[in-house]
Amino acid sequence: MAALPPEAHVVALARLPRVGPGRLRALLERYGPTEAWRAVVAGTVDPALVVHPGNDDPAAVVRSWQRAAAAIDPAAYWQAHVEAGIGVAVRGSDAFPAPFAADDDPPAVVFWQGDLDHLAGLRAAVVGTRRATRYGLDVAHRLGCDLARAGVAVVSGLALGIDGAAHAGALAAEAAPPVAVVGSGLDRVYPRAHGPLWREVARAGVVLSEYPLGAPAAAWQFPARNRLIAALADVVVVVESQATGGAMGTAMEAARRGVPVLAVPGPVTAASSDGTNQLLFDGCPPARDAADVLVVLGLEAATEGRTAAERRPTPRGDAATVLNEAPWGPVPVEQLVLATGLDLGRVALALDQLEADGWVSRRAGWVERIARPGVRP
Amino acid sequence: MLATVSSATLLGVDGFPVTVEVHVGQGLPGFTVVGLPDASCREARDRVRAALLTSGFAWPDKRTTVNLAPTSVRKIGSSLDLAIAVGVLVASGQLPADAVAERGFIGELGLDGTLRHVPGALSLVDAVETAEVVVAPGSVFEANLVGRPRVRCAPDLAALVDALTGEAPWPRPPDDPVPPAEPPAPDLADVRGHPLARAALEVAAAGGHHLLMVGPPGSGKTMLAQRLPGLLPDLDDASALEATRVHSAAGLALPGGLVRRPPFRAPHHGTSAVAMVGGGSGRLRPGEISLASGGVLFLDELGEFAPLVLDSLRQPLEEGVIRIARAETRVTLPARFLLVAAMNPCPCGEGVTPAACRCSDRSLDRYRRRVSGPLLDRFDLRLEVLRPDPEQLLRGEAADPSAVVAERVAAARRRAAERGARTNAELPTPVLERVAPLGPEASALVERALRQGRLTARGLRRVWRVALTLADLDGCEGPLRAEHVASAFHLRSDPGFVVGPQAA
């Protein structure tokens, strides 16, 4: 017990149920790590330290901590982190990331996989909805790729949709390292579908979390995760978001911290762009491509031209007619049939050609135009 | 004294000949029915006794034993009432034995001696091997459909005995029921917008392809499905007789006589597995899939059906029959139906439009699991049906009426029949590859889809068959053209809830 570093007790405390950064900080400030753990085990924690009680009864929370603590062996739990190669830094220690140390709502402890030095350069958060359209995914992928090429670390949340596309783009660039902040323990890959992406990001960059190993992904942890993304970022780009959602939360957190927020414009008719269009209306600068983001960061635009040269074969015949009628944004094939007046066979054939040439993408009977030739996700 | 009378009992939808043997002899007065009668069959004793007494006959005050041969088969229902009553009359000497020889008797008795119609009369009469059959007036019409035995009827027991003994002529059979004027079937011309869904209905009707419609509430899925039977051709003689037997065995009214129009069955999503595929204790009743045989089985809200019920459809979908086995009996019922299903794209119903769905990942996952992959795979046509935009709804041009489409469907079906299959969906793969090879452009299209992993080998056969149906509808001969294959691809796109949120 005596040989245990003080971090071990912080890690154990972080594993308790209903412990968020606020309560953990309160515990550590009052008692210090070792004493705090003793108080939890003994059930003698001052209920006043259960901050933001909400619907919780502070006394009941203290009792639930005591029960949960009985099942945790701090020494073994610490050993598990050491063996898994998980980095641990407590607030106030030298290793604690500087962006968090300066924050007004910092985590009490940070866990990471990968190399924390990757936080050294400029960082741009690219965030958005999980239910993205093809347009949003393409833009996120391209932003991630171009920002990484320009030497800016892409910060995101490894979620489905925009987050994943941004990380995939950053990885594809093989330039600046990607940074992920997740809302669960580092051994609890969520969403499962992003397991390979998660490991790639940990290998090439760093995955951060304020939750110890084994902590499941609870719903309240994702807004908390979003504040860390905002705290880390030098600029936040919201690619696609509904009127409410996690990405809008990230934008709010960023705005509160004085971090510039950019939004990618979307069709005014698309629910998937309601949030970003609102941000634009509220005065956020638009992010049309990585160059717009680099300007906000005070960097010069990327050396490549603003748009790559058009290399796709020009559509002819039915394909031209169909592409002409395809609006920006997803459209059902049926609407194209009606708009062009062609029969289904010719439209389907034209779409097949357009898809093969990279003009449109298709999914479940819907068609979406692809704006610019880029790195295909 | 012993009497032997011919009758029949029902097993599934098929009749089974039964010989009713009645023995009246010395002993304590009593009445026993042996030979595996079920409950309603055992009750015959009380009905027969009351019917004989109220009709003015004597009830033998001796030991009466009724045996239903063969004794190994369970006898079900009240169709043996009449035969037992006639047997008792003969065995007690109130009716000469030669009056009942070479005659079968099928019907239920009322306590006042009335002869009543029984479900499955068609199959029962068909099963009786005698040259003449006596049935209740209500069953005459069904009995005549069999065409083989001479059909006699009598309103009640007294009149029957008079006719059997020759004291009175046989009562005149009732006139054939006049089919009631059918309400006009829903017409395809009423549908505004939905050009692709209309095309899919036409293809489904022409090729016998199962159809899945995915769409938000109020997009018109049910309305479309109801118009499918109107596109199908009349049933041929064999199918019509088969459908009529099933309907008769299920006790459904047959107002128009032979079931000539393809049936349309739309069971509710609370339907149990037994109600769906047939079965039940005792007599094995035909289920919804058998009632829909030859026609359309429409499952609205496919995602709300119990997974067990849906999975029980898989085997009949492949084989066209349903085999129901119980410890005592096993029956094979026809189940050659066209499956049309409709479902919401997700629990909230808005999942068709990209990024508009409000469902949680977990509820989406559960929804996806309910409709299993193997079932989904059996739909040759999978289509998203969207709410038509107001422009189409108000000013869209009226589509071809059902009659015009039905003619195209009939023509396409004739072409399929020339290939030796009832429909293209049933065309064996080797025949398919021989009669409709892919044209060069179509091959390139298919190859690209296979390489991109958008198509599996099984999926290819299904797309191929649909493309053939499209070509049939267009009147094209020879190798399949690329546009037909491309259309078939689109008509079999993976529904959005299967693809899931697209990952980059």
Side-chain angles (χ1 to χ4, degrees):
Chain A
M1 197 81 177
L4 224 46
E7 287 94 335
H9 287 122
V10 182
V11 172
L13 286 168
R15 184 68 183 89
L16 294 176
R18 290 188 271 185
V19 162
R23 291 176 187 175
L24 190 50
R25 282 202 307 268
L27 277 173
L28 294 174
E29 277 162 19
R30 170 77 70 89
Y31 299 110
T34 314
E35 279 307 311
W37 180 251
R38 276 199 198 124
V40 165
V41 171
T44 58
V45 175
D46 178 1
L49 294 181
V50 181
V51 293
H52 308 304
N55 291 331
D56 288 347
D57 168 21
V61 171
V62 169
R63 282 197 299 280
S64 77
W65 285 352
Q66 190 184 4
R67 274 197 303 278
I72 300 174
D73 173 6
Y77 199 42
W78 174 251
Q79 191 57 31
H81 282 79
V82 171
E83 279 168 14
I86 303 290
V88 182
V90 180
R91 188 160 76 104
S93 69
D94 292 342
F96 197 70
F100 291 151
D103 199 61
D104 63 349
D105 187 10
V109 55
V110 172
F111 302 84
W112 71 87
Q113 263 177 327
D115 192 347
L116 211 53
D117 291 344
H118 291 319
L119 295 179
L122 281 172
R123 297 172 301 274
V126 179
V127 296
T129 177
R130 285 174 294 158
R131 302 200 180 89
T133 63
R134 177 60 189 228
Y135 161 73
L137 293 173
D138 281 353
V139 173
H141 191 275
R142 198 168 168 76
L143 274 176
C145 189
D146 291 349
L147 286 171
R149 282 208 185 117
V152 178
V154 173
V155 183
S156 198
L158 272 180
L160 292 175
I162 300 295
D163 284 19
H167 274 315
L171 282 168
E174 293 182 354
V179 177
V181 187
V182 297
S184 57
L186 289 170
D187 58 339
R188 293 294 185 102
V189 175
Y190 181 90
R192 293 241 190 99
H194 276 180
L197 188 63
W198 177 306
R199 285 187 288 279
E200 275 298 293
V201 171
R203 183 192 57 77
V206 58
V207 181
L208 293 157
S209 171
E210 57 179 327
Y211 307 100
L213 289 183
W220 63 267
Q221 292 169 351
F222 290 96
R225 178 273 307 270
N226 291 343
R227 93 181 190 286
L228 295 186
I229 292 179
L232 270 185
D234 296 307
V235 59
V236 171
V237 185
V238 185
V239 175
E240 214 176 22
S241 174
Q242 281 89 347
T244 58
M248 295 302 278
T250 311
M252 297 308 155
E253 291 284 349
R256 200 170 64 75
R257 287 172 170 80
V259 175
V261 177
L262 281 73
V264 174
V268 292
T269 50
S272 52
S273 288
D274 277 352
T276 44
N277 287 337
Q278 184 62 44
L279 288 176
L280 292 173
F281 181 80
D282 291 344
C284 291
R288 293 166 298 176
D289 53 18
D292 291 347
V293 182
L294 295 176
V295 168
V296 173
L297 283 172
L299 296 177
E300 279 189 34
T303 47
E304 292 173 52
R306 283 188 68 90
T307 52
E310 185 64 78
R311 292 202 191 86
R312 298 176 286 193
T314 312
R316 272 192 293 273
D318 286 349
T321 317
V322 170
L323 191 65
N324 214 23
E325 292 293 344
W328 297 100
V331 56
V333 172
E334 185 156 47
Q335 198 167 313
L336 292 177
V337 171
L338 287 168
T340 57
L342 300 173
D343 59 357
L344 173 64
R346 290 172 68 181
V347 172
L349 209 52
L351 286 174
D352 205 72
Q353 188 61 49
L354 287 171
E355 189 177 33
D357 290 345
W359 287 99
V360 299
S361 72
R362 277 193 291 184
R363 174 186 167 269
W366 286 68
V367 177
E368 196 166 352
R369 278 182 86 155
I370 295 174
R372 285 170 299 183
V375 184
R376 294 291 295 276
Chain B
M1 213 182 142
L2 180 71
T4 310
V5 184
S6 295
S7 188
T9 186
L10 202 60
L11 245 164
V13 298
D14 292 325
F16 190 88
V18 172
T19 307
V20 178
E21 298 165 343
V22 183
H23 179 257
V24 176
Q26 297 304 322
L28 279 176
F31 189 96
T32 333
V33 182
V34 298
L36 282 184
D38 80 338
S40 65
C41 203
R42 250 194 316 272
E43 289 164 0
R45 176 180 60 182
D46 300 318
R47 281 194 299 271
V48 167
R49 183 165 188 272
L52 284 182
L53 292 175
T54 52
S55 303
F57 299 104
W59 184 252
D61 49 358
K62 290 183 176 176
R63 176 131 197 97
T64 308
T65 307
V66 176
N67 182 39
L68 309 173
T71 51
S72 58
V73 179
R74 184 165 285 279
K75 320 300 179 305
I76 289 143
S78 49
S79 61
L80 298 170
D81 283 9
L82 182 58
I84 293 174
V86 170
V88 169
L89 287 174
V90 173
S92 59
Q94 302 180 71
L95 193 64
D98 54 355
V100 300
E102 279 310 300
R103 287 199 171 111
F105 296 85
I106 289 162
E108 181 185 310
L109 281 179
L111 297 189
D112 57 352
T114 323
L115 268 63
R116 292 194 177 132
H117 171 72
V118 286
L122 172 56
S123 302
L124 292 171
V125 170
D126 197 19
V128 175
E129 286 147 355
T130 52
E132 203 172 293
V133 175
V134 180
V135 296
S139 310
V140 169
F141 170 68
E142 276 185 40
N144 275 328
L145 291 176
V146 177
R148 187 176 44 77
R150 187 184 177 115
V151 178
R152 301 286 198 187
C153 76
D156 55 42
L157 207 50
L160 171 66
V161 170
D162 285 349
L164 284 173
T165 51
E167 284 175 24
W170 279 100
R172 236 175 64 82
D175 295 331
D176 281 356
V178 182
E182 279 189 37
D187 197 284
L188 207 54
D190 311 336
V191 180
R192 294 289 151 104
H194 295 306
L196 296 194
R198 280 199 310 247
L201 281 183
E202 191 173 330
V203 174
H209 304 288
H210 304 303
L211 169 65
L212 171 67
M213 290 183 282
V214 181
S219 54
K221 305 181 292 281
T222 310
M223 180 190 68
L224 285 160
Q226 282 164 345
R227 279 150 179 82
L228 181 54
L231 308 183
L232 293 170
D234 279 345
L235 299 179
D236 58 29
D237 290 346
S239 307
L241 193 62
E242 185 183 81
T244 313
R245 288 166 78 107
V246 175
H247 281 66
S248 164
L252 298 188
L254 296 167
L258 261 188
V259 179
R260 271 290 173 194
R261 287 302 302 154
F264 180 76
R265 302 292 299 182
H268 182 255
H269 56 71
T271 304
S272 69
V274 166
M276 185 65 90
V277 299
S281 60
R283 152 185 169 213
L284 301 175
R285 287 172 183 76
E288 290 290 337
I289 59 170
S290 298
L291 289 170
S293 193
V296 176
L297 180 69
F298 176 46
L299 303 184
D300 205 354
E301 307 295 356
L302 188 70
E304 304 297 328
F305 279 85
L308 185 76
V309 176
L310 294 183
D311 285 338
S312 65
L313 294 176
R314 277 154 52 182
Q315 179 254 337
L317 274 173
E318 285 298 296
E319 300 189 20
V321 294
I322 173 80
R323 276 184 265 281
I324 304 167
R326 296 288 184 267
E328 279 179 357
T329 43
R330 55 212 65 210
V331 297
T332 303
L333 305 180
R336 205 173 28 74
F337 54 92
L338 180 53
L339 179 60
V340 178
M343 66 190 295
N344 288 333
C346 58
C348 83
E350 299 302 325
V352 169
T353 317
C357 168
R358 300 181 303 270
C359 301
S360 69
D361 291 346
R362 191 174 300 175
S363 67
L364 273 176
D365 225 35
R366 201 166 41 230
Y367 198 69
R368 229 169 280 156
R369 268 201 305 270
R370 293 206 95 166
V371 184
S372 68
L375 179 67
L376 215 53
D377 212 49
R378 284 172 170 75
F379 289 101
D380 291 357
L381 301 168
R382 301 189 298 217
L383 191 71
E384 295 201 330
V385 177
L386 307 166
R387 296 192 186 104
D389 64 285
E391 178 71 18
Q392 282 293 319
L393 212 53
L394 295 173
R395 282 177 287 278
E397 53 190 283
D400 289 340
S402 289
V404 174
V405 179
E407 251 170 57
R408 287 202 295 267
V409 167
R413 285 209 167 208
R414 276 196 295 278
R415 299 170 74 109
E418 285 164 20
R419 298 185 195 106
R422 199 195 305 260
T423 57
N424 286 342
E426 293 172 19
L427 202 63
T429 304
V431 182
L432 174 71
E433 286 172 2
R434 196 184 67 241
V435 301
L438 295 174
E441 280 179 54
S443 307
L445 195 83
V446 165
E447 195 180 325
R448 197 154 62 220
L450 284 169
R451 277 192 200 290
Q452 288 171 357
R454 282 192 290 131
L455 191 64
T456 61
R458 197 208 306 235
L460 169 62
R461 304 278 171 250
R462 295 187 177 267
V463 167
W464 200 328
R465 289 194 176 90
V466 173
L468 176 59
T469 305
L470 284 163
D472 282 350
L473 283 168
D474 278 357
C476 294
E477 298 278 354
L480 290 179
R481 301 223 301 257
E483 61 191 71
H484 292 137
V485 176
S487 298
F489 262 127
H490 177 71
L491 293 175
R492 196 176 186 271
S493 31
D494 278 324
F497 70 89
V498 174
V499 183
Q502 38 185 322

